[in-house]
């Protein structure tokens, strides 16, 4: 059974669109099970898509806040990618488009947002309402940094895949 929404249109169980902002093309995916999704959570998902650039900046700021923890997924991600001995070191260095003097922060600010997965059925506090998938030099590396946010846009989980 399909769900209809003013922003998303008719949603079977899957909706996808490429969204452009700045110099990025981001795949936005919404998965919705009929009967599990409320109109309010679809409205919240539509607002999130409309404010994607702002939410992206909030997530990146949360990443910067995790730099003090030596064992955070953000630090492990950067340790792998910023290793000068890495085969793709030149490509990664070229992907870092900022030079503030703090290489880790510059790398986080230079990440490409590749995909946003919206899960409107997860609309409770602390539940992963959306996942943001980031990469540095995504054409050359497989490492991904994924942040899950709840409906209130608080980061509830960060993981490193690669």
């Amino acid at each position: 059974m399909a769900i209809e929404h003013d922003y998303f249109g008719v949603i079977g169980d899957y909706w996808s669109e490429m969204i452009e902002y700045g110099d990025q093309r981001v795949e936005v995916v919404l998965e919705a099970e009929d009967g599990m999704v409320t109109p309010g959570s679809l409205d919240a998902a539509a607002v999130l898509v409309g404010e994607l650039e702002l939410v992206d900046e909030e997530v990146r700021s949360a990443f910067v806040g995790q730099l003090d923890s030596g064992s955070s997924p953000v630090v492990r991600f950067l340790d792998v990618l910023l290793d000068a001995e890495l085969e793709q070191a030149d490509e990664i260095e070229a992907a870092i488009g900022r030079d503030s003097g703090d290489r880790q922060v510059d790398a986080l600010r230079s990440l490409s947002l590749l995909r946003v997965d919206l899960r409107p059925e997860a609309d409770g506090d602390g539940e992963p309402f959306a996942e943001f998938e980031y990469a540095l030099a995504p054409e050359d590396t497989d490492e991904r940094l994924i942040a899950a946010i709840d409906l209130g846009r608080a980061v509830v989980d960060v993981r490193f895949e690669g």
Side-chain angles (χ1 to χ4, degrees), residues 3-79:
I3 302 167
E4 190 167 352
H5 186 265
D6 289 341
Y7 178 83
F8 298 107
V10 176
I11 306 166
D13 59 354
Y14 184 85
W15 174 91
S16 175
E17 189 170 300
M18 294 302 288
I19 305 288
E20 291 190 36
Y21 78 87
D23 61 349
Q24 298 188 83
R25 287 183 48 90
V26 180
E27 180 182 19
V28 178
V29 174
L30 181 134
E31 295 184 39
E33 254 186 73
D34 193 25
M36 300 293 292
V37 178
T38 66
S41 64
L42 287 174
D43 291 344
V47 168
L48 192 145
V49 172
E51 297 179 349
L52 190 59
E53 189 169 359
L54 175 63
V55 180
D56 176 30
E57 284 301 315
E58 292 169 358
V59 171
R60 290 172 194 261
S61 292
F63 288 161
V64 171
Q66 290 192 10
L67 290 176
D68 292 338
S69 171
S71 62
S72 76
V74 173
V75 171
R76 290 195 317 270
F77 173 80
L78 292 173
D79 285 349

